[in-house]
mmCIF file of all heavy atoms in Angstrom:
data_model
loop_
_atom_site.group_PDB
_atom_site.id
_atom_site.type_symbol
_atom_site.label_atom_id
_atom_site.label_comp_id
_atom_site.label_asym_id
_atom_site.label_seq_id
_atom_site.Cartn_x
_atom_site.Cartn_y
_atom_site.Cartn_z
ATOM 1 N N MET B 114 -10.211 0.901 -14.553
ATOM 2 C CA MET B 114 -10.254 1.951 -13.541
ATOM 3 C C MET B 114 -11.635 2.058 -12.890
ATOM 4 O O MET B 114 -11.810 2.807 -11.931
ATOM 5 C CB MET B 114 -9.840 3.283 -14.148
ATOM 6 C CG MET B 114 -8.363 3.336 -14.469
ATOM 7 S SD MET B 114 -7.864 4.800 -15.388
ATOM 8 C CE MET B 114 -8.440 6.110 -14.347
ATOM 9 N N ALA B 115 -12.593 1.296 -13.368
ATOM 10 C CA ALA B 115 -13.941 1.304 -12.798
ATOM 11 C C ALA B 115 -13.976 0.640 -11.426
ATOM 12 O O ALA B 115 -14.977 0.718 -10.728
ATOM 13 C CB ALA B 115 -14.911 0.600 -13.740
ATOM 14 N N ARG B 116 -12.896 0.002 -11.029
ATOM 15 C CA ARG B 116 -12.823 -0.685 -9.720
ATOM 16 C C ARG B 116 -11.662 -0.108 -8.928
ATOM 17 O O ARG B 116 -10.526 -0.069 -9.404
ATOM 18 C CB ARG B 116 -12.624 -2.182 -9.921
ATOM 19 C CG ARG B 116 -12.493 -2.951 -8.632
ATOM 20 C CD ARG B 116 -12.310 -4.447 -8.936
ATOM 21 N NE ARG B 116 -11.705 -5.116 -7.832
ATOM 22 C CZ ARG B 116 -10.405 -5.231 -7.587
ATOM 23 N NH1 ARG B 116 -9.533 -4.720 -8.422
ATOM 24 N NH2 ARG B 116 -9.959 -5.866 -6.539
ATOM 25 N N GLN B 117 -11.973 0.336 -7.708
ATOM 26 C CA GLN B 117 -10.962 0.858 -6.809
ATOM 27 C C GLN B 117 -11.217 0.301 -5.417
ATOM 28 O O GLN B 117 -12.329 -0.111 -5.111
ATOM 29 C CB GLN B 117 -10.971 2.386 -6.825
ATOM 30 C CG GLN B 117 -10.642 2.911 -8.220
ATOM 31 C CD GLN B 117 -10.636 4.411 -8.317
ATOM 32 O OE1 GLN B 117 -10.276 5.095 -7.372
ATOM 33 N NE2 GLN B 117 -11.031 4.923 -9.463
ATOM 34 N N VAL B 118 -10.181 0.286 -4.595
ATOM 35 C CA VAL B 118 -10.319 -0.335 -3.276
ATOM 36 C C VAL B 118 -9.754 0.553 -2.171
ATOM 37 O O VAL B 118 -8.868 1.373 -2.411
ATOM 38 C CB VAL B 118 -9.624 -1.725 -3.218
ATOM 39 C CG1 VAL B 118 -10.223 -2.689 -4.221
ATOM 40 C CG2 VAL B 118 -8.129 -1.601 -3.399
ATOM 41 N N VAL B 119 -10.299 0.341 -0.978
ATOM 42 C CA VAL B 119 -9.724 0.899 0.246
ATOM 43 C C VAL B 119 -9.098 -0.282 0.968
ATOM 44 O O VAL B 119 -9.754 -1.297 1.207
ATOM 45 C CB VAL B 119 -10.790 1.558 1.135
ATOM 46 C CG1 VAL B 119 -10.166 2.019 2.449
ATOM 47 C CG2 VAL B 119 -11.454 2.719 0.417
ATOM 48 N N ALA B 120 -7.822 -0.165 1.282
ATOM 49 C CA ALA B 120 -7.098 -1.267 1.918
ATOM 50 C C ALA B 120 -6.265 -0.732 3.068
ATOM 51 O O ALA B 120 -6.030 0.472 3.187
ATOM 52 C CB ALA B 120 -6.209 -1.971 0.897
ATOM 53 N N GLY B 121 -5.806 -1.654 3.897
ATOM 54 C CA GLY B 121 -4.943 -1.284 5.003
ATOM 55 C C GLY B 121 -4.346 -2.512 5.648
ATOM 56 O O GLY B 121 -4.695 -3.647 5.316
ATOM 57 N N VAL B 122 -3.438 -2.272 6.575
ATOM 58 C CA VAL B 122 -2.827 -3.351 7.342
ATOM 59 C C VAL B 122 -3.824 -3.747 8.430
ATOM 60 O O VAL B 122 -4.340 -2.880 9.132
ATOM 61 C CB VAL B 122 -1.487 -2.886 7.957
ATOM 62 C CG1 VAL B 122 -0.951 -3.901 8.941
ATOM 63 C CG2 VAL B 122 -0.476 -2.606 6.857
ATOM 64 N N PRO B 123 -4.134 -5.023 8.554
ATOM 65 C CA PRO B 123 -5.106 -5.441 9.580
ATOM 66 C C PRO B 123 -4.679 -5.006 10.976
ATOM 67 O O PRO B 123 -3.485 -4.889 11.264
ATOM 68 C CB PRO B 123 -5.120 -6.972 9.459
ATOM 69 C CG PRO B 123 -4.592 -7.258 8.099
ATOM 70 C CD PRO B 123 -3.621 -6.159 7.788
ATOM 71 N N PRO B 124 -5.648 -4.762 11.870
ATOM 72 C CA PRO B 124 -5.313 -4.356 13.236
ATOM 73 C C PRO B 124 -4.539 -5.453 13.963
ATOM 74 O O PRO B 124 -4.595 -6.613 13.600
ATOM 75 C CB PRO B 124 -6.675 -4.152 13.904
ATOM 76 C CG PRO B 124 -7.699 -4.321 12.859
ATOM 77 C CD PRO B 124 -7.063 -4.874 11.635
ATOM 78 N N GLY B 125 -3.833 -5.050 14.989
ATOM 79 C CA GLY B 125 -3.141 -6.021 15.822
ATOM 80 C C GLY B 125 -1.659 -6.133 15.556
ATOM 81 O O GLY B 125 -0.912 -6.549 16.424
ATOM 82 N N GLY B 126 -1.230 -5.791 14.377
ATOM 83 C CA GLY B 126 0.194 -5.855 14.072
ATOM 84 C C GLY B 126 0.807 -4.470 14.147
ATOM 85 O O GLY B 126 0.136 -3.488 14.395
ATOM 86 N N GLY B 127 2.088 -4.424 13.932
ATOM 87 C CA GLY B 127 2.762 -3.135 13.919
ATOM 88 C C GLY B 127 2.701 -2.517 12.540
ATOM 89 O O GLY B 127 2.159 -3.107 11.606
ATOM 90 N N PRO B 128 3.247 -1.338 12.391
ATOM 91 C CA PRO B 128 3.315 -0.737 11.060
ATOM 92 C C PRO B 128 4.091 -1.651 10.110
ATOM 93 O O PRO B 128 4.964 -2.397 10.532
ATOM 94 C CB PRO B 128 4.070 0.567 11.277
ATOM 95 C CG PRO B 128 4.000 0.823 12.746
ATOM 96 C CD PRO B 128 3.854 -0.512 13.406
ATOM 97 N N ALA B 129 3.727 -1.593 8.859
ATOM 98 C CA ALA B 129 4.385 -2.442 7.862
ATOM 99 C C ALA B 129 4.873 -1.589 6.711
ATOM 100 O O ALA B 129 4.177 -0.667 6.281
ATOM 101 C CB ALA B 129 3.408 -3.497 7.355
ATOM 102 N N ARG B 130 6.059 -1.885 6.220
ATOM 103 C CA ARG B 130 6.541 -1.230 5.005
ATOM 104 C C ARG B 130 6.056 -2.091 3.849
ATOM 105 O O ARG B 130 6.426 -3.248 3.712
ATOM 106 C CB ARG B 130 8.053 -1.124 5.007
ATOM 107 C CG ARG B 130 8.550 -0.480 3.707
ATOM 108 C CD ARG B 130 9.869 0.168 3.850
ATOM 109 N NE ARG B 130 9.702 1.435 4.541
ATOM 110 C CZ ARG B 130 10.676 2.324 4.690
ATOM 111 N NH1 ARG B 130 11.868 2.085 4.216
ATOM 112 N NH2 ARG B 130 10.455 3.449 5.338
ATOM 113 N N ILE B 131 5.192 -1.513 3.016
ATOM 114 C CA ILE B 131 4.575 -2.238 1.906
ATOM 115 C C ILE B 131 5.141 -1.686 0.597
ATOM 116 O O ILE B 131 5.109 -0.473 0.364
ATOM 117 C CB ILE B 131 3.038 -2.069 1.905
ATOM 118 C CG1 ILE B 131 2.442 -2.388 3.275
ATOM 119 C CG2 ILE B 131 2.405 -2.882 0.791
ATOM 120 C CD1 ILE B 131 2.425 -3.835 3.641
ATOM 121 N N ALA B 132 5.637 -2.573 -0.248
ATOM 122 C CA ALA B 132 6.162 -2.189 -1.554
ATOM 123 C C ALA B 132 5.075 -2.380 -2.614
ATOM 124 O O ALA B 132 4.279 -3.318 -2.538
ATOM 125 C CB ALA B 132 7.386 -3.032 -1.895
ATOM 126 N N PHE B 133 5.054 -1.486 -3.588
ATOM 127 C CA PHE B 133 4.059 -1.506 -4.665
ATOM 128 C C PHE B 133 4.756 -1.462 -6.013
ATOM 129 O O PHE B 133 5.857 -0.949 -6.156
ATOM 130 C CB PHE B 133 3.128 -0.297 -4.556
ATOM 131 C CG PHE B 133 2.269 -0.318 -3.343
ATOM 132 C CD1 PHE B 133 2.740 0.166 -2.135
ATOM 133 C CD2 PHE B 133 0.978 -0.820 -3.391
ATOM 134 C CE1 PHE B 133 1.942 0.149 -0.998
ATOM 135 C CE2 PHE B 133 0.172 -0.848 -2.268
ATOM 136 C CZ PHE B 133 0.664 -0.356 -1.067
ATOM 137 N N ARG B 134 4.050 -1.996 -7.003
ATOM 138 C CA ARG B 134 4.512 -1.921 -8.399
ATOM 139 C C ARG B 134 3.333 -1.504 -9.250
ATOM 140 O O ARG B 134 2.199 -1.497 -8.810
ATOM 141 C CB ARG B 134 5.077 -3.248 -8.856
ATOM 142 C CG ARG B 134 4.051 -4.356 -8.870
ATOM 143 C CD ARG B 134 4.703 -5.698 -9.213
ATOM 144 N NE ARG B 134 3.925 -6.770 -8.645
ATOM 145 C CZ ARG B 134 2.946 -7.399 -9.280
ATOM 146 N NH1 ARG B 134 2.626 -7.075 -10.493
ATOM 147 N NH2 ARG B 134 2.284 -8.369 -8.690
ATOM 148 N N GLY B 135 3.589 -1.165 -10.461
ATOM 149 C CA GLY B 135 2.541 -0.725 -11.383
ATOM 150 C C GLY B 135 3.043 0.470 -12.163
ATOM 151 O O GLY B 135 4.163 0.442 -12.671
ATOM 152 N N LEU B 136 2.249 1.539 -12.223
ATOM 153 C CA LEU B 136 2.697 2.738 -12.916
ATOM 154 C C LEU B 136 3.976 3.286 -12.314
ATOM 155 O O LEU B 136 4.803 3.856 -13.010
ATOM 156 C CB LEU B 136 1.619 3.827 -12.864
ATOM 157 C CG LEU B 136 0.382 3.591 -13.710
ATOM 158 C CD1 LEU B 136 -0.616 4.726 -13.533
ATOM 159 C CD2 LEU B 136 0.737 3.455 -15.175
ATOM 160 N N ARG B 137 4.096 3.123 -11.021
ATOM 161 C CA ARG B 137 5.298 3.542 -10.302
ATOM 162 C C ARG B 137 5.666 2.457 -9.302
ATOM 163 O O ARG B 137 4.815 1.760 -8.804
ATOM 164 C CB ARG B 137 5.058 4.844 -9.534
ATOM 165 C CG ARG B 137 4.752 6.026 -10.403
ATOM 166 C CD ARG B 137 4.570 7.255 -9.525
ATOM 167 N NE ARG B 137 4.147 8.390 -10.304
ATOM 168 C CZ ARG B 137 4.942 9.392 -10.645
ATOM 169 N NH1 ARG B 137 6.199 9.391 -10.278
ATOM 170 N NH2 ARG B 137 4.481 10.394 -11.347
ATOM 171 N N ARG B 138 6.949 2.369 -9.008
ATOM 172 C CA ARG B 138 7.404 1.491 -7.928
ATOM 173 C C ARG B 138 7.671 2.395 -6.726
ATOM 174 O O ARG B 138 8.343 3.410 -6.856
ATOM 175 C CB ARG B 138 8.679 0.759 -8.317
ATOM 176 C CG ARG B 138 8.447 -0.313 -9.338
ATOM 177 C CD ARG B 138 9.756 -1.060 -9.616
ATOM 178 N NE ARG B 138 9.489 -2.182 -10.469
ATOM 179 C CZ ARG B 138 9.200 -3.404 -10.031
ATOM 180 N NH1 ARG B 138 9.183 -3.649 -8.752
ATOM 181 N NH2 ARG B 138 8.952 -4.375 -10.883
ATOM 182 N N PHE B 139 7.148 2.004 -5.587
ATOM 183 C CA PHE B 139 7.326 2.795 -4.383
ATOM 184 C C PHE B 139 7.026 1.917 -3.181
ATOM 185 O O PHE B 139 6.593 0.775 -3.320
ATOM 186 C CB PHE B 139 6.406 4.031 -4.385
ATOM 187 C CG PHE B 139 4.949 3.694 -4.449
ATOM 188 C CD1 PHE B 139 4.187 3.579 -3.295
ATOM 189 C CD2 PHE B 139 4.322 3.487 -5.678
ATOM 190 C CE1 PHE B 139 2.845 3.251 -3.364
ATOM 191 C CE2 PHE B 139 2.980 3.170 -5.751
ATOM 192 C CZ PHE B 139 2.238 3.046 -4.588
ATOM 193 N N HIS B 140 7.271 2.460 -2.010
ATOM 194 C CA HIS B 140 6.902 1.775 -0.777
ATOM 195 C C HIS B 140 6.290 2.802 0.170
ATOM 196 O O HIS B 140 6.526 4.003 0.045
ATOM 197 C CB HIS B 140 8.098 1.060 -0.136
ATOM 198 C CG HIS B 140 9.212 1.985 0.224
ATOM 199 N ND1 HIS B 140 10.241 2.254 -0.642
ATOM 200 C CD2 HIS B 140 9.454 2.712 1.334
ATOM 201 C CE1 HIS B 140 11.075 3.103 -0.076
ATOM 202 N NE2 HIS B 140 10.622 3.408 1.126
ATOM 203 N N LEU B 141 5.490 2.304 1.086
ATOM 204 C CA LEU B 141 4.845 3.140 2.097
ATOM 205 C C LEU B 141 4.946 2.452 3.445
ATOM 206 O O LEU B 141 4.946 1.227 3.518
ATOM 207 C CB LEU B 141 3.360 3.328 1.777
ATOM 208 C CG LEU B 141 2.991 4.097 0.526
ATOM 209 C CD1 LEU B 141 1.501 3.958 0.258
ATOM 210 C CD2 LEU B 141 3.376 5.558 0.666
ATOM 211 N N ASP B 142 4.991 3.252 4.491
ATOM 212 C CA ASP B 142 4.845 2.720 5.836
ATOM 213 C C ASP B 142 3.363 2.843 6.167
ATOM 214 O O ASP B 142 2.801 3.942 6.164
ATOM 215 C CB ASP B 142 5.694 3.498 6.842
ATOM 216 C CG ASP B 142 7.184 3.215 6.662
ATOM 217 O OD1 ASP B 142 7.524 2.187 6.040
ATOM 218 O OD2 ASP B 142 8.001 4.021 7.156
ATOM 219 N N VAL B 143 2.723 1.695 6.432
ATOM 220 C CA VAL B 143 1.284 1.659 6.664
ATOM 221 C C VAL B 143 1.041 1.216 8.104
ATOM 222 O O VAL B 143 1.489 0.139 8.511
ATOM 223 C CB VAL B 143 0.572 0.713 5.668
ATOM 224 C CG1 VAL B 143 -0.937 0.768 5.859
ATOM 225 C CG2 VAL B 143 0.956 1.068 4.222
ATOM 226 N N ARG B 144 0.315 2.057 8.836
ATOM 227 C CA ARG B 144 -0.012 1.737 10.221
ATOM 228 C C ARG B 144 -1.207 0.775 10.254
ATOM 229 O O ARG B 144 -1.988 0.723 9.309
ATOM 230 C CB ARG B 144 -0.357 3.000 11.002
ATOM 231 C CG ARG B 144 0.844 3.942 11.118
ATOM 232 C CD ARG B 144 0.515 5.150 11.958
ATOM 233 N NE ARG B 144 -0.270 6.119 11.198
ATOM 234 C CZ ARG B 144 -0.066 7.423 11.221
ATOM 235 N NH1 ARG B 144 0.876 7.945 11.975
ATOM 236 N NH2 ARG B 144 -0.818 8.232 10.516
ATOM 237 N N PRO B 145 -1.376 0.046 11.338
ATOM 238 C CA PRO B 145 -2.524 -0.874 11.447
ATOM 239 C C PRO B 145 -3.844 -0.106 11.370
ATOM 240 O O PRO B 145 -3.952 1.044 11.804
ATOM 241 C CB PRO B 145 -2.361 -1.516 12.825
ATOM 242 C CG PRO B 145 -0.907 -1.356 13.136
ATOM 243 C CD PRO B 145 -0.477 -0.081 12.484
#
């Protein structure tokens, strides 16, 4: 947990539905 990140969908594309796994499974709509 000593390492955390800020991430996002690179500019230029449309919104993306991104699925995640780990402690919970979920998806998010992420804008560029």
Side-chain angles (χ1 to χ4, degrees):
M114 289 172 56
R116 178 179 159 274
Q117 298 180 33
V118 300
V119 175
V122 170
R130 178 156 283 188
I131 309 287
F133 294 85
R134 63 185 154 91
L136 289 178
R137 296 181 186 256
R138 288 183 173 269
F139 60 94
H140 60 268
L141 294 170
D142 289 341
V143 184
R144 295 183 282 223

